[in-house]
Tab-separated table of all heavy atoms in Angstrom:
chain	number	residue	atom	x	y	z
A	350	ARG	N	0.850	-1.193	0.009
A	350	ARG	CA	-0.002	0.011	-0.010
A	350	ARG	C	0.883	1.241	0.004
A	350	ARG	O	1.902	1.318	0.699
A	350	ARG	CB	-0.925	0.017	1.214
A	350	ARG	CG	-2.046	1.060	1.042
A	350	ARG	CD	-3.150	0.919	2.043
A	350	ARG	NE	-4.281	1.727	1.637
A	350	ARG	CZ	-5.328	2.047	2.426
A	350	ARG	NH1	-5.385	1.574	3.650
A	350	ARG	NH2	-6.300	2.810	1.934
A	351	VAL	N	0.476	2.232	-0.784
A	351	VAL	CA	1.187	3.496	-0.813
A	351	VAL	C	0.784	4.298	0.442
A	351	VAL	O	-0.371	4.692	0.585
A	351	VAL	CB	0.839	4.304	-2.077
A	351	VAL	CG1	1.593	5.646	-2.095
A	351	VAL	CG2	1.117	3.508	-3.342
A	352	VAL	N	1.753	4.546	1.317
A	352	VAL	CA	1.461	5.244	2.552
A	352	VAL	C	1.981	6.674	2.552
A	352	VAL	O	1.613	7.476	3.420
A	352	VAL	CB	1.996	4.488	3.774
A	352	VAL	CG1	1.266	3.149	3.938
A	352	VAL	CG2	3.525	4.248	3.670
A	353	GLU	N	2.894	7.001	1.646
A	353	GLU	CA	3.368	8.388	1.503
A	353	GLU	C	3.610	8.677	0.033
A	353	GLU	O	4.097	7.824	-0.705
A	353	GLU	CB	4.678	8.597	2.282
A	353	GLU	CG	4.565	8.540	3.778
A	353	GLU	CD	5.887	8.821	4.466
A	353	GLU	OE1	6.483	9.897	4.164
A	353	GLU	OE2	6.334	8.003	5.258
A	354	VAL	N	3.304	9.903	-0.356
A	354	VAL	CA	3.578	10.368	-1.707
A	354	VAL	C	4.425	11.623	-1.624
A	354	VAL	O	4.016	12.646	-1.048
A	354	VAL	CB	2.259	10.661	-2.465
A	354	VAL	CG1	2.575	11.387	-3.772
A	354	VAL	CG2	1.503	9.363	-2.729
A	355	HIS	N	5.643	11.531	-2.161
A	355	HIS	CA	6.555	12.673	-2.257
A	355	HIS	C	6.722	12.982	-3.756
A	355	HIS	O	6.256	12.248	-4.628
A	355	HIS	CB	7.904	12.346	-1.617
A	355	HIS	CG	7.821	12.121	-0.153
A	355	HIS	ND1	8.054	13.092	0.800
A	355	HIS	CD2	7.514	10.969	0.535
A	355	HIS	CE1	7.911	12.567	1.990
A	355	HIS	NE2	7.577	11.293	1.874
A	356	ARG	N	7.378	14.084	-4.026
A	356	ARG	CA	7.540	14.513	-5.401
A	356	ARG	C	8.251	13.476	-6.256
A	356	ARG	O	7.862	13.225	-7.397
A	356	ARG	CB	8.307	15.838	-5.449
A	356	ARG	CG	8.444	16.430	-6.861
A	356	ARG	CD	9.257	17.719	-6.820
A	356	ARG	NE	8.580	18.709	-5.994
A	356	ARG	CZ	7.630	19.548	-6.410
A	356	ARG	NH1	7.241	19.488	-7.681
A	356	ARG	NH2	7.085	20.436	-5.607
A	357	ASN	N	9.284	12.844	-5.713
A	357	ASN	CA	10.088	11.928	-6.507
A	357	ASN	C	10.097	10.493	-5.997
A	357	ASN	O	10.917	9.678	-6.453
A	357	ASN	CB	11.517	12.435	-6.584
A	357	ASN	CG	11.629	13.792	-7.234
A	357	ASN	OD1	11.044	13.985	-8.308
A	357	ASN	ND2	12.321	14.727	-6.614
A	358	ALA	N	9.194	10.185	-5.063
A	358	ALA	CA	9.222	8.800	-4.529
A	358	ALA	C	7.887	8.488	-3.835
A	358	ALA	O	7.180	9.408	-3.352
A	358	ALA	CB	10.378	8.647	-3.525
A	359	PHE	N	7.566	7.199	-3.816
A	359	PHE	CA	6.483	6.663	-3.021
A	359	PHE	C	7.051	5.864	-1.887
A	359	PHE	O	8.104	5.222	-2.035
A	359	PHE	CB	5.578	5.723	-3.857
A	359	PHE	CG	4.652	6.409	-4.807
A	359	PHE	CD1	4.566	7.786	-4.914
A	359	PHE	CD2	3.807	5.618	-5.630
A	359	PHE	CE1	3.700	8.383	-5.813
A	359	PHE	CE2	2.936	6.228	-6.506
A	359	PHE	CZ	2.875	7.607	-6.618
A	360	HIS	N	6.405	5.867	-0.727
A	360	HIS	CA	6.727	4.959	0.350
A	360	HIS	C	5.658	3.894	0.399
A	360	HIS	O	4.454	4.230	0.518
A	360	HIS	CB	6.811	5.741	1.671
A	360	HIS	CG	7.212	4.877	2.833
A	360	HIS	ND1	7.322	5.375	4.099
A	360	HIS	CD2	7.555	3.560	2.933
A	360	HIS	CE1	7.681	4.435	4.939
A	360	HIS	NE2	7.836	3.317	4.249
A	361	VAL	N	6.046	2.630	0.248
A	361	VAL	CA	5.078	1.546	0.217
A	361	VAL	C	5.380	0.573	1.360
A	361	VAL	O	6.514	0.390	1.768
A	361	VAL	CB	5.110	0.784	-1.132
A	361	VAL	CG1	4.721	1.718	-2.265
A	361	VAL	CG2	6.449	0.152	-1.385
A	362	VAL	N	4.307	-0.053	1.859
A	362	VAL	CA	4.395	-1.001	2.952
A	362	VAL	C	3.581	-2.238	2.625
A	362	VAL	O	2.467	-2.130	2.094
A	362	VAL	CB	3.911	-0.390	4.289
A	362	VAL	CG1	3.978	-1.433	5.427
A	362	VAL	CG2	4.765	0.823	4.635
A	363	GLY	N	4.132	-3.401	2.903
A	363	GLY	CA	3.411	-4.681	2.740
A	363	GLY	C	3.971	-5.716	3.667
A	363	GLY	O	4.696	-5.362	4.643
A	364	GLU	N	3.717	-6.959	3.449
A	364	GLU	CA	4.270	-8.013	4.283
A	364	GLU	C	5.777	-8.126	4.009
A	364	GLU	O	6.191	-8.454	2.913
A	364	GLU	CB	3.584	-9.351	3.962
A	364	GLU	CG	4.246	-10.562	4.609
A	364	GLU	CD	4.445	-10.387	6.124
A	364	GLU	OE1	3.589	-9.747	6.764
A	364	GLU	OE2	5.452	-10.898	6.621
A	365	GLY	N	6.581	-7.776	5.035
A	365	GLY	CA	8.019	-7.837	4.883
A	365	GLY	C	8.587	-6.750	4.000
A	365	GLY	O	9.763	-6.821	3.624
A	366	LEU	N	7.792	-5.766	3.647
A	366	LEU	CA	8.236	-4.668	2.736
A	366	LEU	C	7.954	-3.337	3.390
A	366	LEU	O	6.853	-3.107	3.880
A	366	LEU	CB	7.535	-4.766	1.390
A	366	LEU	CG	7.838	-5.996	0.525
A	366	LEU	CD1	6.804	-6.143	-0.578
A	366	LEU	CD2	9.229	-5.864	-0.046
A	367	ASP	N	8.918	-2.481	3.369
A	367	ASP	CA	8.787	-1.142	3.963
A	367	ASP	C	9.882	-0.281	3.345
A	367	ASP	O	10.976	-0.187	3.868
A	367	ASP	CB	8.934	-1.218	5.502
A	367	ASP	CG	8.575	0.089	6.183
A	367	ASP	OD1	8.481	1.141	5.485
A	367	ASP	OD2	8.371	0.082	7.410
A	368	GLU	N	9.574	0.316	2.190
A	368	GLU	CA	10.679	0.962	1.434
A	368	GLU	C	10.148	2.076	0.525
A	368	GLU	O	8.928	2.232	0.305
A	368	GLU	CB	11.374	-0.089	0.578
A	368	GLU	CG	10.477	-0.787	-0.431
A	368	GLU	CD	11.145	-1.996	-1.046
A	368	GLU	OE1	11.432	-2.969	-0.343
A	368	GLU	OE2	11.378	-1.934	-2.278
A	369	ALA	N	11.089	2.832	-0.003
A	369	ALA	CA	10.795	3.879	-0.994
A	369	ALA	C	10.998	3.329	-2.380
A	369	ALA	O	11.937	2.579	-2.626
A	369	ALA	CB	11.671	5.088	-0.759
A	370	ILE	N	10.084	3.677	-3.302
A	370	ILE	CA	10.200	3.271	-4.698
A	370	ILE	C	9.986	4.478	-5.588
A	370	ILE	O	9.482	5.514	-5.129
A	370	ILE	CB	9.205	2.165	-5.066
A	370	ILE	CG1	7.775	2.723	-4.967
A	370	ILE	CG2	9.370	0.942	-4.178
A	370	ILE	CD1	6.681	1.780	-5.521
A	371	LEU	N	10.361	4.351	-6.840
A	371	LEU	CA	10.042	5.427	-7.798
A	371	LEU	C	8.548	5.500	-7.978
A	371	LEU	O	7.846	4.471	-7.879
A	371	LEU	CB	10.752	5.130	-9.124
A	371	LEU	CG	12.264	5.259	-9.131
A	371	LEU	CD1	12.816	4.813	-10.503
A	371	LEU	CD2	12.713	6.681	-8.829
A	372	PRO	N	7.988	6.683	-8.265
A	372	PRO	CA	6.539	6.827	-8.388
A	372	PRO	C	5.940	5.939	-9.468
A	372	PRO	O	6.564	5.658	-10.480
A	372	PRO	CB	6.363	8.325	-8.740
A	372	PRO	CG	7.577	8.979	-8.203
A	372	PRO	CD	8.708	7.983	-8.396
A	373	VAL	N	4.705	5.510	-9.200
A	373	VAL	CA	3.948	4.696	-10.161
A	373	VAL	C	2.915	5.610	-10.810
A	373	VAL	O	2.168	6.329	-10.129
A	373	VAL	CB	3.236	3.508	-9.479
A	373	VAL	CG1	2.395	2.709	-10.475
A	373	VAL	CG2	4.287	2.608	-8.796
A	374	ARG	N	2.873	5.625	-12.123
A	374	ARG	CA	1.985	6.514	-12.867
A	374	ARG	C	0.523	6.252	-12.495
A	374	ARG	O	0.096	5.102	-12.389
A	374	ARG	CB	2.179	6.348	-14.350
A	374	ARG	CG	1.517	7.388	-15.210
A	374	ARG	CD	2.000	7.293	-16.644
A	374	ARG	NE	1.401	8.296	-17.484
A	374	ARG	CZ	0.264	8.140	-18.167
A	374	ARG	NH1	-0.377	7.011	-18.108
A	374	ARG	NH2	-0.199	9.132	-18.919
A	375	ASN	N	-0.216	7.310	-12.306
A	375	ASN	CA	-1.665	7.259	-12.019
A	375	ASN	C	-1.983	6.551	-10.695
A	375	ASN	O	-3.061	6.024	-10.527
A	375	ASN	CB	-2.421	6.569	-13.144
A	375	ASN	CG	-2.403	7.362	-14.452
A	375	ASN	OD1	-2.380	8.596	-14.413
A	375	ASN	ND2	-2.357	6.669	-15.563
A	376	ALA	N	-1.030	6.589	-9.772
A	376	ALA	CA	-1.267	6.073	-8.407
A	376	ALA	C	-1.201	7.220	-7.427
A	376	ALA	O	-0.623	8.260	-7.700
A	376	ALA	CB	-0.241	4.989	-8.060
A	377	THR	N	-1.788	7.002	-6.240
A	377	THR	CA	-1.786	8.064	-5.220
A	377	THR	C	-1.730	7.404	-3.849
A	377	THR	O	-1.768	6.161	-3.746
A	377	THR	CB	-3.020	8.940	-5.369
A	377	THR	OG1	-2.929	10.053	-4.450
A	377	THR	CG2	-4.327	8.192	-5.074
A	378	VAL	N	-1.674	8.218	-2.805
A	378	VAL	CA	-1.635	7.654	-1.470
A	378	VAL	C	-2.903	6.894	-1.175
A	378	VAL	O	-3.990	7.276	-1.568
A	378	VAL	CB	-1.442	8.820	-0.439
A	378	VAL	CG1	-2.649	9.755	-0.405
A	378	VAL	CG2	-1.155	8.281	0.948
A	379	GLY	N	-2.722	5.742	-0.530
A	379	GLY	CA	-3.877	4.858	-0.232
A	379	GLY	C	-4.050	3.776	-1.251
A	379	GLY	O	-4.789	2.813	-1.000
A	380	ASP	N	-3.419	3.882	-2.404
A	380	ASP	CA	-3.572	2.832	-3.458
A	380	ASP	C	-2.893	1.536	-3.004
A	380	ASP	O	-1.899	1.547	-2.290
A	380	ASP	CB	-2.927	3.324	-4.767
A	380	ASP	CG	-3.954	3.947	-5.721
A	380	ASP	OD1	-5.075	3.464	-5.780
A	380	ASP	OD2	-3.587	4.937	-6.382
């Protein structure tokens, strides 16, 4: 799940995952 949206990065969290990734087109916080 996208928990933070910054200008140049998304912060995503899942099972065993907690990291920053490059933005995904047409996605937003909560996706």
